[in-house]
Amino acid sequence: RQKSMAAIGDKAGERITVGGIIPADVNVQEGKPGEQIKFGDLIGKGKVIVTGVPAAFSPTCSETHIPGYIAKADDLKAKGVTEIFCISVNDAFVMKAWGKALGAEGKVRMIADPAADLTKAMYVAFD
């Protein structure tokens, strides 16, 4: 489900949950910097998985977290998941290179949130 940013954040600290409303009006990047796309347009109306990591190329995320989604992508899609997204506060070049290094193409879409706009809209930002 999607909701415009005007309606998100009425309660301080409200986080996105399973089945929750995704902030649709936030710009993210895929592929290369400068090509902004609204997150709502990117995710469409299907059943999606959105996972976030603190940094691309970090050891645990590179060895465990995202490879698990890559390995199970076909099983998840067979169960009705239309897309799997990995979000990180990195630029689009870094996310593309990380996805290539992990073999994510066609399985997990690597999405850049360089200014942390989506991260903040989901109340999951931290220092």
Side-chain angles (χ1 to χ4, degrees), residues 85-102:
F85 297 96
C86 173
I87 311 291
S88 187
V89 182
N90 289 99
D91 70 42
F93 287 141
V94 169
M95 291 302 288
K96 184 176 181 177
W98 189 40
K100 185 175 182 178
L102 293 175

Side-chain angles (χ1 to χ4, degrees), residues 34-53:
E35 292 187 7
Q36 303 288 328
I37 184 168
K38 297 273 186 221
F39 190 61
D41 294 340
L42 188 66
I43 64 171
K45 298 189 185 295
K47 183 178 184 180
V48 300
I49 294 173
V50 178
T51 187
V53 297

Side-chain angles (χ1 to χ4, degrees), residues 2-12 14 16 21-26 121 123:
Q2 299 178 18
K3 197 172 198 178
S4 72
M5 279 303 297
I8 294 292
D10 292 336
K11 299 176 189 169
E14 182 179 332
I16 302 298
I21 296 170
I22 297 290
D25 293 340
V26 179
Y123 297 99

